[in-house]
Amino acid sequence: MIDLDGAVRELTEARESGKPCPPLRGRLLPEGDVASAYQVQQRQARAWRDRGERRVGAKIGLTSRAVQESLGVYEPDFGVLTDAMAVADGAEVPLGRLLQPRVEAEVAFVLGADLTDERVTTVDVIRAVDHLLPAIEIVDSRVAGWDISIVDTVADNASSGLFVLGTAPRRLADVDLRLCGMVLEHAGEPVSVGAGAACLGNPLHALAWLAGTTARAGDPLRAGDVVLSGALGPMVPVTPGAAYEARISGLGSVRTCFSREAQ
């Protein structure tokens, strides 16, 4: 059984009500049917656009081999970023905007050129990147208990929530993305550590994968797009009232905090 309308409806109701829905797989979408899951994602993205949200880029998920293996998949996934998902560096996020938030530190690429070729090389993506920023992605799931498969997370816009970008751009040539170290801190204590190599071996590889995938789908990455390349370390459940700061070597830092109660 495939019920695209039902899947869109339940995810939308979960976002609006703040009450997660049951997993979609095996109920509204067939197990392993990633193509249908992307159709659900696209229908939601069109609805966001119709209500005035502006597409500003994309996020890449499942860039960790361990996470891929836990879901039984062997390639990343992606979701849409809109202007409504952007949070200013250091700003407080009302918990009421989210259901089951977690945070992770990432490299954000800002493109200076389109990437329209279906077969993308490393040189192509290097030439297309205008600058880099440190980022915190606030991931979220509309599926109860984060009980997700690849179908659930793709349909749910790759478990997107919000994103926070740093404000001091760096040039790609000045950063070793494979070896750059990351630490995510809460109350001055490390809660997640990692490096660029955790993201498909190098965040540039993740960007190249996304560029080729979106070009083949007829919706290529464009100049000005922000691309969140995937986590550099384990994601961390959000504690109400907590502040989190990510520092990435060569890129600087970015910070976000959360209200103590839903607002």
Side-chain angles (χ1 to χ4, degrees):
M1 175 181 177
I2 301 178
D3 186 356
L4 301 181
D5 291 338
V8 171
R9 182 172 57 253
E10 290 201 13
L11 291 170
T12 300
E13 289 175 353
R15 286 177 183 275
E16 294 176 351
S17 69
K19 297 178 181 178
C21 65
L24 306 175
R25 65 188 185 276
R27 192 170 59 87
L28 300 175
L29 300 174
E31 296 272 4
D33 189 351
V34 176
S36 291
Y38 274 115
Q39 289 184 57
V40 172
Q41 180 188 126
Q42 291 160 6
R43 291 187 182 197
Q44 293 174 91
R46 285 196 295 269
W48 301 335
R49 180 196 62 202
D50 291 344
R51 73 185 186 196
E53 295 185 30
R54 178 172 56 90
R55 179 189 176 280
V56 296
K59 61 149 290 181
I60 309 171
L62 305 182
T63 54
S64 160
R65 181 64 66 187
V67 174
Q68 288 181 1
E69 290 176 353
S70 71
L71 295 180
V73 297
Y74 298 96
E75 70 172 26
D77 69 348
F78 68 91
V80 175
L81 298 179
T82 75
D83 60 329
M85 301 174 186
V87 176
D89 188 7
E92 182 178 88
V93 177
L95 281 179
R97 293 189 65 182
L98 303 156
L99 281 75
Q100 306 172 95
R102 301 178 179 185
V103 291
E104 56 190 28
E106 308 192 10
V107 173
F109 294 102
V110 182
L111 300 184
D114 298 347
L115 282 167
T116 58
D117 290 333
E118 295 183 9
R119 299 178 65 181
V120 180
T121 70
T122 301
V123 171
D124 292 330
V125 295
I126 289 173
R127 286 174 174 167
V129 173
D130 184 77
H131 60 273
L132 312 174
L133 293 167
I136 292 175
E137 185 182 2
I138 304 169
V139 293
D140 200 7
S141 180
R142 272 54 61 177
V143 177
W146 277 90
D147 180 7
I148 58 173
S149 70
I150 181 65
V151 167
D152 300 295
T153 187
V154 166
D156 192 21
N157 198 37
S159 301
S160 64
L162 307 171
F163 67 96
V164 189
L165 301 179
T167 57
R170 299 288 192 272
R171 295 296 178 187
L172 179 57
D174 297 332
V175 182
D176 186 336
L177 285 179
R178 186 178 71 86
L179 296 179
C180 64
M182 178 280 295
V183 59
L184 179 64
E185 293 182 345
H186 163 45
E189 296 295 326
V191 291
S192 178
V193 296
C199 179
L200 291 187
N202 188 314
L204 277 171
H205 298 164
L207 177 58
W209 172 85
L210 179 64
T213 299
T214 55
R216 287 188 292 274
D219 187 22
L221 298 176
R222 299 292 185 183
D225 278 352
V226 175
V227 178
L228 302 183
S229 61
L232 305 187
M235 61 181 178
V236 177
V238 166
T239 299
Y244 298 87
E245 183 170 5
R247 295 198 305 275
I248 302 173
S249 58
L251 282 181
S253 64
V254 59
R255 182 178 179 274
T256 193
C257 60
F258 296 85
S259 64
R260 292 189 178 278
E261 299 178 351
Q263 299 174 3

